[in-house]
Amino acid sequence: MKYLFKILRFDPRQDEHPYFQDYSYETEETKSVLEALMEIRNVQDCSLSFRYSCREAICGSCAMVVNGKFDLACRTELESLDSPLIVVEPLPNLEIQKDLVVDLDPFWEALVKIEPFLHSEGAIPEKGHRIEDEKIDKIFQYVNCILCGCCYSACPVVSKRENYLGPAALAKLYRFVKDPRDKRPFKNWSRVNTEGGAWGCHTIFKCNEVCPKEVRPADGIEALRRKLIVEKIKSLNPFKR
Amino acid sequence: MLSHDILIVGGGLAGLSAALSSDPSLSVAVISKVHPLRSHSVAAQGGINAALGNNPDGKDDSWERHAFDTIKGSDYLADQDTAELMCQEASLTIYELEHLGVPFSRFPGGVIAQRPFGGAGFPRTCYAADRTGLVILHTLYEQSVRQNVRFYNEWLVTQLVVKDGRCLGVIVYDLENAEFMPVQAKAVVFATGGYGRVYMKTTNAFINHGSGIGAAYRAGVPLKDLEFVQFHPTSLLGKNILITEGARGEGGYLVNNKGRRFMEDYAPRSMELSPRDIVARAIQTEIDKGNGYESQYVHLDIRHLGAEKIKKRLPGIREICINFAGLDPIDTPIPIQPAQHYSMGGIDVDKNCASAVEGFYAAGECACVSVHGANRLGGNSLLDTVVFGKIAGKKISEYVRGANGVTDSEKNLLDAALKFKNRVEGWRKKDSGEKFHILMGRLKALMNEKVGLFRNKNELAQCLETIQELREAYEYVYISGPCLRFSQELVNIIEYESMLDLAEVITIGALNREETRGSHYRLDFEKRNDDEWLKHTLITWKEGKPQISYKDVFIGKYQPAERKY
Ligand SMILES: Cc1cc2nc3c(=O)[nH]c(=O)nc-3n(C[C@H](O)[C@H](O)[C@H](O)COP(=O)(O)OP(=O)(O)OC[C@H]3O[C@@H](n4cnc5c(N)ncnc54)[C@H](O)[C@@H]3O)c2cc1C
Ligand code: SF4
Ligand code: SF4
Ligand code: FES
């Protein structure tokens, strides 16, 4: 099969504008977009830059936009695109560092803001914590997040509102407050009770749509909102603390 | 010059464990060539071992049984004191990880679930479905965020700088800024992972080139037991993505083209749950005998586990099969074949993770303590990374608190950085020559063919010759891309030199070791030979070439006996 790749190129330290470069690529085998990019790099143009590591859709390195669709390049098979023309672009709404490599710092910084670590209390229980499997099942949906950045990059609110935490961070927060071991006080996480936090989301579900791991982060945001309301009511009721 | 008390190279499980256990009053930093969460540890699936005794069939389990299984599994090449140390620490390590946030799967009653794994007398592998690496790596990363660990991401360490037996720091290539610079440190820990990509067929990430082990070797640190290369029995046909041993732990069968569970002929008692070396050879033997499919693979059948169990306990495997093989294991058997998976050997360190070079430590897959000897048991590597990563962090902190400064350290580092820069310039000046990917492809194919599951003298000797040719070709390698920012070409050219070194060390070790032990199977010496070969191989880069020596194995309670499964 013969393909024409149009790949977005940009080196902000040299180029004035991003531009598309064409590469023709031919293969008889089943190849992923990532494998094709690597071959194009090796054989045709060693200056082409992109990130990768695991090649099995678990490390979150290779998120990009292929023929308009957000996905991991390593799990996107050329054949599945059903087109001889393949347009490859970096994740939007993030600064391009070079070609398909984008600066994810805003994404990581948003994550840090929700204190993304278990607030467990006290000493390690001698025989471990006791947690029913159903409780673990409930958070596992969010635990599956590989922090690839697709949802953050695709979210229309992130692109407009600078301080919006974005889907992955908010879903991660929900993963922790839902964890029976997590003892963070309500006043700590109620900080997301704002437009920059849980209420910023316009429930457009773009994040759910683009997530390659079926995390459905917007489910987490909605659940977080419900929990915020419940906790708020609880904290207002002087008889039940 | 950038300077830290402790530099940790590698942001996988071993590196993050080391960072978290280092003395926080010291200045500690982690350098990694990818963001820590992109490290290969994230891909670990099946689980991590500890004799918690939570499985109803594992009530009588103990750390001693775990240690015995580890030593027996190692074909008695593990140092028994270190294997015992790891197993003794295991239960507490699991509870610590859990307290830090790891969401392990559960048994009724809420205790951590445990599944059977190969070569283990009891079901002792703790797991989070089949995403154990993901959850542990993310948890340790979260803790590093909490502790404000300093990270330098997308920096490739190209050289370990050692002067007069003392470690001074490293040279790095900063991918974003295309800069080459020295980083000074009182002590350095390498936690740089394995070298799986030296082989064509491997379960490892694309980035696993082994350049950390290579850098240590070039700095004169001995490498130990590199000939012991683990081939995992079950990698998905095609891309060789791992299908976890957990699939067999949950009850999966290996079936040949006659529809037979052929493990009966090789290990009638343990069947599919024998150690990996035995199962991998059995599969390859079936394929070679014509009992495979298309002379390439056999089936891993998990259909009888039922949709519910597969979705709950093996969701990642199902996703991999659907994404990468276009099949659903609920309805269709999985086509699998053995592939390189793990390195038992590595940088020679003692039980404090200290090497022969003062101030230089190593932990995780890049190190050889040795707890895995000639064959590692599934679920023991994650344990190794966390336990020894932690030990490394503590011991290196102790060392740094007592260490004196080195005069001329800066000058030596600057010289080394300049030399390196000139080398890069040399590759850049050429406008024709050898391209890295062609050389790399040849090396990988060579290793797969000549230093695989079954080895013999002729092929190993031929392999060494070809490696020599590839070395000569490397002299002509050149950089074709005009820009050095985020240049994977440059990364690959640098790492390829390490790959050549490691290929050579693996092959020399394999050629000299005239016996069969664990993963090292010599068709011309099919028996284990304790009289002559119950010893570790050490290979050191000295005076411009590899020099071989040997070191005793620490035998404790368990006298070497024949392995039967
Ligand atoms: C698919 C798969 C599944 C597995 N499943 C299991 C399992 O279920 N149970 C189990 O016990 N074991 C398992 N293993 C083995 C285990 O996952 C690995 O041995 C272990 O994770 C290695 O961890 P590490 O920290 O030593 O290295 P890694 O996680 O590989 O990390 C290496 C780090 O070093 C950095 N690095 C490397 N070289 C350089 C350099 N030159 N400069 C700068 N940085 C560098 C990398 O960026 C990375 O951060 C599995 C292995 C594979 C391949
Ligand atoms: S929620 Fe999905 S899309 Fe967003 S970072 Fe996590 S895995 Fe990626
Ligand atoms: S649902 Fe909310 S978080 Fe998700 S993409 Fe839409 S606005 Fe963003
Ligand atoms: S390379 Fe890891 S997710 Fe694609």
Side-chain angles (χ1 to χ4, degrees):
Chain A
M1 189 56 188
K2 227 177 164 157
Y3 298 93
L4 176 66
F5 273 74
K6 279 190 178 296
I7 304 177
L8 193 94
R9 305 294 312 268
F10 185 49
D11 183 348
R13 304 204 185 167
Q14 287 185 22
D15 308 325
E16 272 185 32
H17 305 286
Y19 59 95
F20 280 101
Q21 189 160 345
D22 291 356
Y23 301 93
S24 58
Y25 175 74
E26 207 174 332
T27 179
E28 297 308 314
E29 295 160 55
T30 331
K31 291 271 158 117
S32 65
V33 170
L34 177 62
E35 286 166 322
L37 287 175
M38 290 174 80
E39 276 177 38
I40 290 171
R41 177 199 67 195
N42 291 348
V43 179
Q44 303 181 39
D45 185 351
C46 271
S47 69
L48 182 63
S49 299
F50 46 94
R51 289 195 176 104
Y52 57 86
S53 170
C54 71
R55 64 84 170 79
E56 55 179 283
I58 195 74
C59 78
S61 299
C62 66
M64 52 186 80
V65 180
V66 182
N67 285 359
K69 191 169 171 284
F70 290 77
D71 213 327
L72 303 169
C74 65
R75 68 159 212 165
T76 307
E77 257 164 29
L78 294 182
E79 285 162 18
S80 74
L81 297 168
D82 233 355
S83 156
L85 174 68
I86 295 180
V87 182
V88 189
E89 297 164 277
L91 289 181
N93 296 319
L94 293 158
E95 259 177 49
I96 297 177
Q97 289 176 297
K98 183 157 179 281
D99 304 337
L100 304 171
V101 177
V102 292
D103 184 358
L104 280 169
D105 277 354
F107 173 69
W108 299 120
E109 280 157 18
L111 185 70
V112 171
K113 286 200 187 119
I114 62 106
E115 300 192 1
F117 41 83
L118 189 77
H119 290 51
S120 46
E121 258 174 13
I124 300 167
E126 198 176 325
K127 291 248 135 208
H129 292 265
R130 292 289 159 106
I131 314 167
E132 288 308 321
D133 209 25
E134 298 77 68
K135 295 228 162 104
I136 293 286
D137 277 352
K138 288 220 172 83
I139 61 171
F140 223 79
Q141 175 186 349
Y142 307 107
V143 164
N144 281 331
C145 169
I146 58 173
L147 294 173
C148 66
C150 279
C151 58
Y152 185 85
S153 165
C155 171
V157 180
V158 168
S159 69
K160 284 195 212 83
R161 187 196 294 277
E162 207 176 310
N163 66 348
Y164 180 50
L165 291 169
L170 289 166
K172 181 69 86 185
L173 175 61
Y174 183 67
R175 170 252 176 274
F176 284 114
V177 297
K178 194 73 189 149
D179 190 315
R181 294 166 296 179
D182 195 276
K183 307 289 183 224
R184 70 183 73 202
F186 178 56
K187 71 169 188 315
N188 162 310
W189 65 272
S190 63
R191 280 180 300 166
V192 302
N193 200 5
T194 59
E195 288 290 308
W199 302 101
C201 166
H202 291 176
T203 53
I204 307 160
F205 303 124
K206 188 78 180 152
C207 52
N208 286 3
E209 184 193 314
V210 301
C211 174
K213 300 303 282 187
E214 287 174 45
V215 175
R216 304 183 54 82
D219 295 5
I221 301 177
E222 291 197 306
L224 200 59
R225 289 176 171 182
R226 284 195 296 274
K227 211 167 158 62
L228 276 167
I229 296 171
V230 171
E231 293 290 332
K232 200 86 201 165
I233 294 170
K234 263 202 228 161
S235 71
L236 293 175
N237 182 346
F239 300 108
K240 200 171 158 236
R241 299 218 67 178
Chain B
M1 178 180 304
L2 185 60
S3 177
H4 286 281
D5 291 327
I6 297 176
L7 261 191
I8 295 162
V9 183
L13 285 176
L16 296 185
S17 301
L20 291 171
S21 63
S22 296
D23 179 347
S25 69
L26 299 169
S27 111
V28 181
V30 178
I31 294 181
S32 173
K33 64 178 181 177
V34 292
H35 184 284
L37 292 179
R38 316 311 186 202
S39 302
H40 183 60
S41 291
V42 80
Q45 300 171 352
I48 173 166
N49 295 339
L52 306 181
N54 288 347
N55 189 306
D57 296 332
K59 286 214 160 42
D60 298 327
D61 203 2
S62 63
W63 74 260
E64 288 93 342
R65 297 300 308 248
H66 182 188
F68 173 70
D69 289 340
T70 301
I71 292 161
K72 180 180 171 195
S74 82
D75 224 347
Y76 294 89
L77 193 71
D79 287 321
Q80 297 188 9
D81 53 342
T82 63
E84 287 191 333
L85 173 67
M86 178 177 82
C87 299
Q88 246 169 331
E89 292 291 316
S91 295
L92 181 62
T93 301
I94 297 296
Y95 294 136
E96 262 172 21
L97 288 173
E98 184 196 43
H99 200 58
L100 293 176
V102 174
F104 285 113
S105 298
R106 300 284 148 170
F107 274 152
V111 296
I112 295 171
Q114 297 189 279
R115 58 165 58 120
F117 248 47
F122 295 100
R124 66 168 74 96
T125 306
C126 310
Y127 56 92
D130 53 2
R131 299 199 164 102
T132 316
L134 175 85
V135 299
I136 305 181
L137 187 68
H138 279 241
T139 300
L140 293 190
Y141 179 70
E142 289 156 10
Q143 291 300 319
S144 322
V145 168
R146 178 182 214 162
Q147 314 255 336
N148 259 317
V149 172
R150 183 87 180 86
F151 285 106
Y152 300 106
N153 296 335
E154 302 187 320
W155 283 17
L156 176 79
V157 167
T158 63
Q159 194 185 336
L160 174 72
V161 183
V162 171
K163 184 90 202 295
D164 302 328
R166 172 90 187 253
C167 167
L168 307 179
V170 298
I171 307 299
V172 299
Y173 159 43
D174 166 356
L175 273 80
E176 187 188 352
N177 297 306
E179 273 179 42
F180 308 95
M181 58 199 181
V183 187
Q184 189 181 40
K186 293 202 179 116
V188 174
V189 190
F190 270 20
T192 52
Y195 56 67
R197 288 278 152 188
V198 168
Y199 284 82
M200 185 74 94
K201 291 187 176 179
T202 172
T203 62
N204 283 200
F206 277 152
I207 62 165
N208 279 22
H209 283 156
S211 57
I213 310 177
Y217 176 64
R218 278 291 166 126
V221 187
L223 302 185
K224 182 160 73 193
D225 292 340
L226 234 63
E227 64 269 33
F228 296 101
V229 181
Q230 180 161 79
F231 292 82
H232 198 288
T234 60
S235 81
L236 187 64
L237 181 73
K239 295 188 201 287
N240 296 108
I241 294 173
L242 182 76
I243 304 296
T244 174
E245 189 163 314
R248 282 170 283 139
E250 294 290 346
Y253 299 149
L254 288 169
V255 185
N256 64 15
N257 69 6
K258 310 249 176 338
R260 258 194 85 224
R261 284 177 70 190
F262 56 84
M263 281 311 298
E264 230 176 303
D265 304 338
Y266 301 85
R269 255 190 316 135
S270 310
M271 296 290 288
E272 280 87 355
L273 287 178
S274 306
R276 289 177 176 173
D277 55 335
I278 293 172
V279 184
R281 281 195 293 267
I283 293 172
Q284 195 57 50
T285 307
E286 288 297 303
I287 295 171
D288 294 346
K289 278 202 306 210
N291 294 341
Y293 295 89
E294 301 169 41
S295 314
Q296 285 195 71
Y297 62 93
V298 297
H299 279 152
L300 170 62
D301 195 346
I302 59 171
R303 290 175 298 179
H304 56 284
L305 304 182
E308 200 185 330
K309 191 163 183 186
I310 294 174
K311 284 183 189 164
K312 185 158 169 59
R313 294 301 192 208
L314 301 165
I317 289 310
R318 181 163 178 249
E319 191 186 318
I320 286 171
C321 290
I322 292 172
N323 272 343
F324 296 99
L327 64 89
D328 188 339
I330 292 174
D331 314 312
T332 315
I334 310 170
I336 57 91
Q337 61 180 200
Q340 192 286 347
H341 179 62
Y342 182 80
S343 167
M344 269 73 71
I347 299 166
D348 176 35
V349 294
D350 63 16
K351 59 172 181 280
N352 296 329
C353 300
S355 76
V357 166
E358 193 187 334
F360 179 64
Y361 292 66
E365 190 173 335
C366 72
C368 178
V369 176
S370 129
V371 285
H372 309 301
N375 173 62
R376 167 176 77 86
L377 296 187
N380 264 355
S381 171
L382 294 184
L383 181 63
D384 167 6
T385 60
V386 181
V387 168
F388 286 100
K390 195 160 104 183
I391 291 175
K394 286 190 176 144
K395 295 292 167 184
I396 201 168
S397 302
E398 280 171 26
Y399 167 79
V400 165
R401 284 192 300 258
N404 303 319
V406 186
T407 43
D408 278 353
S409 158
E410 290 212 4
K411 184 181 172 303
N412 282 303
L413 282 161
L414 284 169
D415 284 353
L418 188 66
K419 251 197 204 146
F420 184 73
K421 231 183 193 154
N422 289 338
R423 212 167 164 216
V424 175
E425 271 314 303
W427 291 324
R428 256 188 113 169
K429 267 196 227 127
K430 295 182 218 165
D431 43 22
S432 66
E434 299 277 359
K435 276 208 152 191
F436 80 85
H437 74 276
I438 299 199
L439 297 179
M440 224 182 232
R442 280 178 65 194
L443 180 69
K444 290 171 183 214
L446 177 75
M447 290 303 283
N448 238 73
E449 200 185 310
K450 307 280 185 200
V451 203
L453 272 170
F454 298 102
R455 303 159 172 191
N456 69 55
K457 184 173 176 175
N458 281 344
E459 300 215 327
L460 293 169
Q462 277 170 18
C463 181
L464 276 182
E465 279 176 29
T466 315
I467 291 173
Q468 225 31 61
E469 289 167 21
L470 287 170
R471 256 193 212 293
E472 283 156 26
Y474 182 65
E475 298 293 316
Y476 298 94
V477 84
Y478 79 112
I479 295 178
S480 65
C483 168
L484 291 187
R485 293 191 59 235
F486 290 106
S487 167
Q488 283 297 335
E489 182 182 33
L490 177 55
V491 170
N492 280 306
I493 289 176
I494 295 166
E495 294 199 309
Y496 177 63
E497 186 170 40
S498 290
M499 292 167 74
L500 280 172
D501 283 343
L502 299 188
E504 183 172 59
V505 173
I506 295 167
T507 312
I508 294 175
L511 179 62
N512 277 30
R513 188 174 281 275
E514 297 189 327
E515 67 157 352
T516 285
R517 183 185 299 273
S519 67
H520 173 67
Y521 198 99
R522 283 285 298 258
L523 291 163
D524 39 357
F525 298 93
E526 289 192 303
K527 287 253 148 19
R528 193 175 85 193
N529 178 350
D530 286 338
D531 291 340
E532 284 173 79
W533 288 104
L534 187 56
K535 58 188 179 187
H536 298 296
T537 305
L538 287 183
I539 297 185
T540 314
W541 181 259
K542 238 193 245 159
E543 287 145 18
K545 58 177 193 285
Q547 314 248 353
I548 191 159
S549 61
Y550 292 92
K551 180 160 136 180
D552 286 343
V553 175
F554 184 95
I555 307 286
K557 278 194 242 146
Y558 309 106
Q559 279 312 306
E562 195 192 339
R563 281 195 315 164
K564 285 209 181 89
Y565 288 97

